[in-house]
Amino acid sequence: MKLGPISASLIGVLAVLVGPDHLPIGEQPVMVGKASADDGTKAGRAPSMPVARDPAAAVAEEYEAARRTGTREAFELFIARHGDDPLADQARAELKRLPR
């Protein structure tokens, strides 16, 4: 079987369309998408990591929460978590004032 010029052309076109560089209809190469993001519209950015909280502020907030709760369990939990913190001494003093 001999291929005519039209058959050979069709096979060539199909090979180009099905080749590894083929993008689905409507998609553009990556660089074209990035270039069109520079047209003044806001480009979608990857989410960034939030700024780390100050550990001392987090401990102080936890102490205030224990104080607002006012239970032995809350103060004991705070002391167990932050026994070396200066606020642990205040929690121990609060704990002594609570009735058993």
Side-chain angles (χ1 to χ4, degrees):
M1 180 169 145
K2 194 173 186 185
L3 294 177
I6 295 178
S7 298
S9 298
L10 286 175
I11 291 173
V13 168
L14 285 175
V16 169
L17 290 177
V18 180
D21 293 334
H22 174 68
L23 294 172
I25 296 173
E27 288 192 23
Q28 300 174 341
V30 174
M31 293 308 293
V32 172
K34 287 183 179 180
S36 56
D38 293 335
D39 63 359
T41 60
K42 186 174 181 179
R45 294 181 183 228
S48 61
M49 293 293 294
V51 177
R53 290 185 60 197
D54 179 21
V59 171
E61 287 176 9
E62 193 170 335
Y63 172 75
E64 286 301 317
R67 198 173 64 73
R68 279 192 307 271
T69 304
T71 63
R72 288 184 98 38
E73 292 81 15
F75 285 117
E76 288 170 352
L77 180 61
F78 178 82
I79 293 167
R81 288 182 178 170
H82 309 288
D84 296 336
D85 194 85
L87 288 174
D89 294 333
Q90 292 180 13
R92 288 183 189 96
E94 292 282 342
L95 195 56
K96 288 180 183 177
R97 286 186 218 141
L98 289 175
R100 292 201 176 243

